[in-house]
């Protein structure tokens, strides 16, 4: 079985991560099959609260090729499964200090369950983004020199 790890690379560039959580996702049968095939994307997705429950919006899971009329909607809202204590903490932090919740990666556990790693984060300013790019380039140059 191949290892599935779908990442949101843009999130680390746009946001500064403060705290990370791993949440389960409520999925239909054709959705988990598409994820196992690697047909999902986290670009432009975000999390929000509705009736004290956490949902992810904008996560794209392609239709399952062999699914008939039972197939799912590609960009529907999906409920995230967390403990009540974690949900309360996230809700309080987002309301108090204006932080956001963004999906970082989607992976499948050894038991076969799909999990979404989410982060409580703060948006970066333009100068922070430039600093991130400088550090990334510097690290790449050092790695090149070490390989020689």
């Amino acid at each position: 079985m191949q290892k599935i790890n779908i990442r949101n690379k843009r999130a680390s560039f746009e946001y500064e991560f403060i705290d990370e959580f791993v949440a389960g996702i409520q999925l239909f049968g054709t959705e988990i099959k598409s994820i196992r095939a690697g047909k999902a994307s986290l670009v432009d997705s975000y999390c929000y609260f509705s009736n004290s429950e956490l949902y992810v919006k904008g996560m794209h899971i392609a239709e399952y090729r062999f699914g008939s009329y039972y197939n799912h909607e590609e960009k529907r809202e999906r409920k995230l499964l967390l403990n009540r204590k974690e949900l309360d903490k996230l809700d309080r932090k987002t309301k108090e200090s204006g932080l956001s919740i963004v999906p970082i990666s989607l992976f499948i556990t050894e038991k076969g369950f799909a999990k979404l790693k989410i982060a409580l984060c703060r948006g970066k300013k333009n100068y922070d983004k430039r600093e991130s790019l400088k550090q990334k380039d510097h690290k790449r140059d050092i790695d090149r020199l070490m390989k020689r």
Side-chain angles (χ1 to χ4, degrees), residues 65-125:
R65 205 172 91 202
F66 301 112
S68 57
Y69 57 92
Y70 290 113
N71 240 332
H72 61 277
E73 289 180 47
E74 293 181 351
K75 282 206 166 196
R76 74 176 184 90
E77 298 171 3
R78 294 169 179 90
K79 185 177 176 182
L80 296 181
L81 309 171
L82 286 164
N83 295 333
R84 174 59 45 201
K85 195 164 59 171
E86 292 173 328
L87 284 171
D88 291 341
K89 180 180 178 182
L90 283 170
D91 194 22
R92 190 173 56 250
K93 292 275 188 172
T94 54
K95 286 180 180 172
E96 279 178 8
S97 45
L99 300 174
S100 302
I101 304 170
V102 176
I104 301 173
S105 68
L106 175 67
F107 61 95
I108 295 184
T109 63
E110 291 179 14
K111 289 185 177 181
F113 296 122
K115 300 284 184 178
L116 187 68
K117 184 184 267 189
I118 59 174
L120 188 65
C121 53
R122 178 181 298 117
K124 285 185 182 178
K125 306 286 187 220

Side-chain angles (χ1 to χ4, degrees), residues 2 11 24 35 38 48 50 68 80 109-110 126:
Q2 66 185 26
I35 290 173
Y48 70 96
S50 175
S68 57
L80 296 181
T109 63
E110 291 179 14
N126 278 335

Side-chain angles (χ1 to χ4, degrees), residues 2-145:
Q2 66 185 26
K3 191 168 183 164
I4 303 296
N5 189 8
I6 299 163
R7 292 181 36 219
N8 187 358
K9 294 178 185 173
R10 183 155 190 120
S12 61
F13 181 69
E14 296 282 336
Y15 299 98
E16 171 191 349
F17 301 143
I18 297 170
D19 202 0
E20 294 182 2
F21 298 90
V22 176
I25 317 172
Q26 200 171 24
L27 297 172
F28 293 140
T30 54
E31 289 176 324
I32 189 67
K33 290 179 180 185
S34 289
I35 290 173
R36 285 187 182 134
K39 306 287 185 191
S41 172
L42 297 174
V43 177
D44 296 332
S45 60
Y46 62 95
C47 300
Y48 70 96
F49 278 95
S50 175
N51 297 332
S52 71
E53 293 179 338
L54 190 61
Y55 291 89
V56 63
K57 187 171 188 164
M59 185 169 89
H60 181 270
I61 299 177
E63 284 190 352
Y64 184 56
R65 205 172 91 202
F66 301 112
S68 57
Y69 57 92
Y70 290 113
N71 240 332
H72 61 277
E73 289 180 47
E74 293 181 351
K75 282 206 166 196
R76 74 176 184 90
E77 298 171 3
R78 294 169 179 90
K79 185 177 176 182
L80 296 181
L81 309 171
L82 286 164
N83 295 333
R84 174 59 45 201
K85 195 164 59 171
E86 292 173 328
L87 284 171
D88 291 341
K89 180 180 178 182
L90 283 170
D91 194 22
R92 190 173 56 250
K93 292 275 188 172
T94 54
K95 286 180 180 172
E96 279 178 8
S97 45
L99 300 174
S100 302
I101 304 170
V102 176
I104 301 173
S105 68
L106 175 67
F107 61 95
I108 295 184
T109 63
E110 291 179 14
K111 289 185 177 181
F113 296 122
K115 300 284 184 178
L116 187 68
K117 184 184 267 189
I118 59 174
L120 188 65
C121 53
R122 178 181 298 117
K124 285 185 182 178
K125 306 286 187 220
N126 278 335
Y127 56 85
D128 290 335
K129 292 178 188 178
R130 286 194 294 268
E131 187 64 34
S132 295
L133 286 174
K134 285 179 189 174
Q135 289 175 353
K136 191 172 157 184
D137 288 342
H138 185 68
K139 184 177 182 292
R140 188 181 309 130
D141 290 342
I142 289 173
D143 289 343
R144 280 187 195 148
L145 291 173

